[in-house]
Amino acid sequence: MSKPVDTPPMIAPMPRDLLGDPLEFFAADHLRQRAAFALIERLATASALDRTLAAHVLEFLGKDMVAHVLDEEDDLFPLLRMRCEAEDDIEHVLGDLSAEHAAEERVAVDIRTGLAEALEAGRPVGDIEGLGKRMLAFVHAESRHLALENGIVFPLARARLSEDDLRNLSARMIQRRSSQ
Ligand SMILES: [Fe+2]
Ligand SMILES: [Fe+2]
């Protein structure tokens, strides 16, 4: 069996100081997700299990990604539905993104279960049936999802949300993280 390798965590901490500007926070969170996807790809294809990295990714998927989806589903998307004009034609985009949130959450739960199993057994991801493939598919789907939000959703939020909306959004996102 190849020797285990351990690397320090490489996903930057949540930029809480940006929560006062929620759209900046979303942008920073998406950058963190890109870093996380690169690490997930690395874990999926490595011949030895990097335990530190696996634990870090498990924590990211179980906490940060969950909070991010709630920020969008419970706060940002409902606000956009209220503020966007018919010409923005946002509903089908939000509908598709919400369906992806639900689907990817199920995949993330499977990946977490698989990673926990790999950690427990001290085996690389490739030894857990279907796990590497699921992780790579997750990264592919999430990268596309994130690009759609960056390209369509966030520019519309900048254009349509009022100062009050942004203040309320900020308060809700701070509240969500207050117990973390
Ligand atoms: Fe999303
Ligand atoms: Fe997002």
Side-chain angles (χ1 to χ4, degrees), residues 32-45 53 139:
R32 296 173 68 240
Q33 284 176 29
R34 281 198 196 285
F37 299 158
L39 296 180
I40 292 171
E41 258 178 354
R42 200 166 104 193
L43 261 183
T45 52
L53 188 52
V139 165

Side-chain angles (χ1 to χ4, degrees), residues 20-180:
D21 184 343
L23 298 183
E24 279 299 310
F25 184 90
F26 273 113
D29 228 7
H30 273 191
L31 279 179
R32 296 173 68 240
Q33 284 176 29
R34 281 198 196 285
F37 299 158
L39 296 180
I40 292 171
E41 258 178 354
R42 200 166 104 193
L43 261 183
T45 52
S47 57
L49 181 69
D50 182 332
R51 301 186 67 88
T52 307
L53 188 52
H56 192 52
V57 164
L58 251 183
E59 162 107 5
F60 183 81
L61 289 177
K63 271 191 175 174
D64 297 27
M65 278 295 283
V66 171
H68 177 77
V69 170
L70 288 174
D71 288 340
E72 292 177 346
E73 281 294 322
D74 290 4
D75 299 325
L76 180 63
F77 288 8
L79 262 179
L80 281 171
R81 286 190 169 98
M82 276 194 293
R83 299 292 181 243
C84 282
E85 308 284 340
E87 73 202 44
D88 296 333
D89 199 18
I90 190 76
E91 191 47 55
H92 73 282
V93 176
L94 295 183
D96 286 353
L97 290 169
S98 289
E100 289 172 12
H101 284 158
E104 293 309 312
E105 170 61 21
R106 287 192 292 274
V107 178
V109 168
D110 277 353
I111 291 173
R112 283 161 55 201
T113 304
L115 279 181
E117 200 183 318
L119 273 168
E120 169 89 25
R123 309 289 305 173
V125 163
D127 284 5
I128 311 292
E129 201 188 339
L131 179 57
K133 208 169 154 189
R134 272 200 298 280
M135 288 167 71
L136 294 177
F138 177 80
V139 165
H140 181 76
E142 282 293 326
S143 300
R144 191 193 143 280
H145 177 98
L146 184 152
L148 196 59
E149 289 175 344
N150 284 349
I152 296 180
V153 175
F154 295 168
L156 265 176
R158 280 205 187 281
R160 299 296 189 204
L161 301 188
S162 67
E163 288 294 313
D164 271 357
D165 289 335
L166 292 173
R167 257 194 302 277
N168 291 336
L169 182 57
S170 170
R172 287 181 57 96
M173 288 163 66
I174 289 169
Q175 169 72 32
R176 173 161 301 116
R177 287 162 178 81
S178 63
S179 55
Q180 285 184 351

Side-chain angles (χ1 to χ4, degrees), residues 6-19:
D6 286 326
T7 54
M10 279 171 288
I11 308 169
M14 203 184 289
R16 285 172 190 257
D17 52 327
L18 287 182
L19 278 166

